[in-house]
Amino acid sequence: MESQTTLKTIRQESQKIGVCLSDEAISQIETYFQELVRWNQKINLTGHKEENRIISNLFIDSLAFQKVFKQKTGSSILDVGSGAGFPGLPLKISCPQLFVTLVEPNLKKVSFLHHIVGILKLKNVAIEPSRIEDLNKFEEHKKIFDFIFLKALRFDALLPYVRPFLGKDGKLILSRPKKSRNPGEITGFFVQEEISYLLPFGCGERVLLVLGPAN
């Protein structure tokens, strides 16, 4: 895909889901996209190989998480199982005031994360080469995050591990391919809001479940 076509597509599709990107953010995402495609030829960073699928399922889907912030653009977020940086890094690019921590155990993907954070000169991004289960031993991360994101993971097994990281009034955000049939049966949490949106290129409907911890 030509560079200008990529830029135009990202701008148009982000606007369709209600996310307006600055010119600087568009340029950074285009660089991110090109580096991801280049690295993905040597290292299996993502299962998505077609460029339209990368734009849709990774970049646009990640930017949609911005819908949960409302006016809290200076929030701290924990991206669990970040992979090649999704959704944490597109969100950081679109909302530079965010404080972002990426948790990813795969060291090849961690190398890419350090690379892309470096060339984009992103500030206030921490990369933890760890599983969330092992991160619990680090007390400095406990009870400090406004938002925790779980995307493309089996969330049920991870719920006990992520809850200790939520700050006061913190929210857990789950990304699902369609609306949950029983969203009230998520152990230890209750659903506060469901946010639906449609991905481009026929990639389907997504829903963000905004969860608060149950008492």
Side-chain angles (χ1 to χ4, degrees):
M1 184 179 291
E2 295 291 335
S3 176
Q4 290 302 314
T5 302
T6 301
L7 292 173
K8 182 179 179 180
T9 300
I10 291 171
R11 187 185 296 276
Q12 290 178 340
E13 297 301 335
S14 61
Q15 288 175 346
K16 288 179 183 178
I17 60 168
V19 176
C20 294
L21 299 171
S22 67
D23 290 341
E24 180 181 6
I26 287 287
S27 178
Q28 287 182 308
I29 286 178
E30 199 272 337
T31 298
Y32 189 176
F33 171 85
Q34 297 294 346
E35 288 298 294
L36 178 66
V37 170
R38 184 171 69 86
W39 276 59
N40 214 26
Q41 294 173 351
K42 300 179 180 180
I43 300 173
N44 187 27
L45 294 176
T46 171
H48 301 293
K49 305 302 180 184
E50 297 179 8
E51 294 188 357
N52 280 349
R53 294 279 176 173
I54 292 174
I55 291 173
S56 179
N57 287 306
L58 299 181
F59 287 96
I60 300 302
D61 199 18
S62 294
L63 290 168
F65 279 71
Q66 190 174 321
K67 294 173 177 287
V68 307
F69 291 144
K70 311 303 183 194
Q71 301 301 315
K72 299 184 68 175
T73 56
S75 302
S76 59
I77 68 172
L78 180 66
D79 179 7
V80 180
S82 186
F86 303 96
L89 291 186
L91 287 171
K92 173 64 178 179
I93 291 169
S94 65
C95 301
Q97 306 94 332
L98 290 174
F99 295 84
V100 176
T101 299
L102 310 175
V103 178
E104 172 54 48
N106 185 300
L107 295 183
K108 291 183 179 179
K109 294 179 181 180
V110 168
S111 294
F112 174 76
L113 294 176
H114 282 293
H115 168 73
I116 201 68
V117 167
I119 65 171
L120 295 181
K121 299 180 180 179
L122 300 177
K123 305 298 183 183
N124 297 316
V125 176
I127 301 169
E128 293 290 348
S130 172
R131 301 187 312 154
I132 190 65
E133 296 91 332
D134 299 325
L135 198 66
N136 271 277
K137 67 183 70 172
F138 299 103
E139 293 296 324
E140 65 268 24
H141 292 304
K142 300 287 183 67
K143 300 181 180 180
I144 65 171
F145 293 100
D146 298 306
F147 297 94
I148 297 177
F149 296 130
L150 294 178
K151 183 179 185 292
L153 290 169
R154 287 195 58 191
F155 69 87
D156 50 346
L158 297 177
L159 293 180
Y161 297 101
V162 300
R163 182 166 179 169
F165 298 105
L166 281 175
K168 183 180 179 182
D169 301 322
K171 312 297 181 189
L172 173 63
I173 314 300
L174 303 181
S175 176
R176 308 293 298 279
K178 57 184 177 180
K179 289 187 177 181
S180 172
R181 294 181 179 179
N182 297 297
E185 298 180 5
I186 300 175
T187 304
F189 293 85
F190 68 99
V191 177
Q192 295 182 334
E193 187 179 5
E194 294 188 36
I195 303 171
S196 298
Y197 54 96
L198 194 64
L199 291 177
F201 309 121
C203 292
E205 184 181 19
R206 295 289 187 273
V207 61
L208 300 177
L209 298 182
V210 182
L211 310 180
N215 294 329

